[in-house]
Amino acid sequence: EPYTRLLLGTRYVLLRREFLKWRDWKREIPEVARRVLVTMGGSDPDNVTLKVIQALQQVDLDGLEAIVVVGGSNPHYEELQSAVQDARFPIRLESNVTDMPELMAWADVAISGGGSTSWELAFMGVPALILILASNQRPIAERLDAVGVAVNLGWYEDVSPTETAQVVTQLLRTPRIRADISQHGRQLVDGMGSDRVIRALQRQTQAHQSRVWE
């Protein structure tokens, strides 16, 4: 319809309600990062999560710890349980998490798929490494890398655990890069998207009512 208005871009990102209380939170950037959050989405049918765990095993850094988040529909849960139990550093496996902002606040760095979690990580200022898990994630990952909001690792099948480990290690040991990514993320997704959508709807409604009364 001619009156249709499209609200496009990251100014209109609709975050889940639990994220909104973190708008004024300030992230600390440690000299050496040691806390890694891994989240590859709900089902992860290709078990990319295991590949990331294998990559983290190759990171040579004292005091490293990780939290791995999986969805309730993940068919590889038992295999992942075995992998984290055999890990050479503490890895906690979490399923059906209800408070992702808390885990993102805990993490110094995240390894994630390139879906809507990317906007949540940007809002929380988490320096993120993105693996492309589906073709529709490619433009997101490439653009976020281009504007300095994340590091695009590429298509998950093309990236070896060793290559992932090298990039992770560099990011963990480089506070300047992490600080820049964090700052750019908070600028890109400021948490005001839902407010802007509501105001736009209100203006549209008011304009429509004015036309009706005329």
Side-chain angles (χ1 to χ4, degrees):
E1 297 293 339
Y3 54 77
T4 300
R5 181 182 175 191
L6 303 179
L7 306 179
L8 306 177
T10 54
R11 281 174 51 79
Y12 300 102
V13 168
L14 301 177
L15 296 171
R16 290 179 287 173
R17 188 183 303 273
E18 57 264 34
F19 282 90
L20 301 184
K21 65 182 180 181
W22 293 84
R23 280 176 178 165
D24 299 321
W25 178 71
K26 303 298 182 184
R27 171 172 295 280
E28 294 184 5
I29 305 294
E31 187 66 23
V32 178
R34 291 182 167 86
R35 298 183 296 194
V36 181
L37 176 66
V38 179
T39 172
M40 292 294 136
S43 60
D44 188 18
D46 297 309
N47 205 8
V48 182
T49 302
L50 179 61
K51 191 173 182 179
V52 173
I53 293 173
Q54 292 168 345
L56 291 176
Q57 296 297 310
Q58 300 181 39
V59 175
D60 185 15
L61 184 66
D62 292 337
L64 191 66
E65 55 182 317
I67 295 177
V68 175
V69 176
V70 298
S73 57
N74 191 303
H76 311 288
Y77 189 80
E78 292 184 2
E79 186 178 3
L80 294 173
Q81 267 190 321
S82 177
V84 301
Q85 288 171 358
D86 296 337
R88 61 179 182 82
F89 63 89
I91 301 180
R92 197 169 90 218
L93 188 63
E94 295 280 352
S95 178
N96 285 330
V97 170
T98 57
D99 194 351
M100 279 299 288
E102 190 72 40
L103 295 184
M104 291 181 182
W106 168 87
D108 296 321
V109 165
I111 306 173
S112 171
S116 58
T117 302
S118 301
W119 314 124
E120 297 170 352
L121 291 168
F123 170 73
M124 293 296 295
V126 189
L129 301 160
I130 294 179
L131 283 165
I132 301 170
L133 309 180
S135 58
N136 64 343
Q137 295 181 3
R138 184 180 299 278
I140 297 174
E142 291 177 349
R143 184 60 180 161
L144 290 179
D145 187 291
V147 298
V149 174
V151 177
N152 176 22
L153 292 172
W155 185 256
Y156 75 93
E157 290 180 331
D158 299 334
V159 185
S160 70
T162 299
E163 291 170 327
T164 299
Q166 290 172 347
V167 180
V168 171
T169 301
Q170 181 184 17
L171 188 60
L172 293 174
R173 293 185 179 276
T174 314
R176 178 184 55 79
I177 295 176
R178 282 184 278 111
D180 287 347
I181 292 175
S182 181
Q183 180 183 2
H184 294 156
R186 294 303 295 264
Q187 290 171 346
L188 187 72
V189 181
D190 61 7
M192 300 296 292
S194 57
D195 293 343
R196 293 186 182 101
V197 170
I198 290 170
R199 287 198 297 270
L201 289 172
Q202 290 172 336
R203 287 195 297 268
Q204 197 83 341
T205 301
Q206 291 167 357
H208 175 71
Q209 290 173 341
S210 297
R211 288 195 297 270
V212 170
W213 285 109
E214 290 172 0

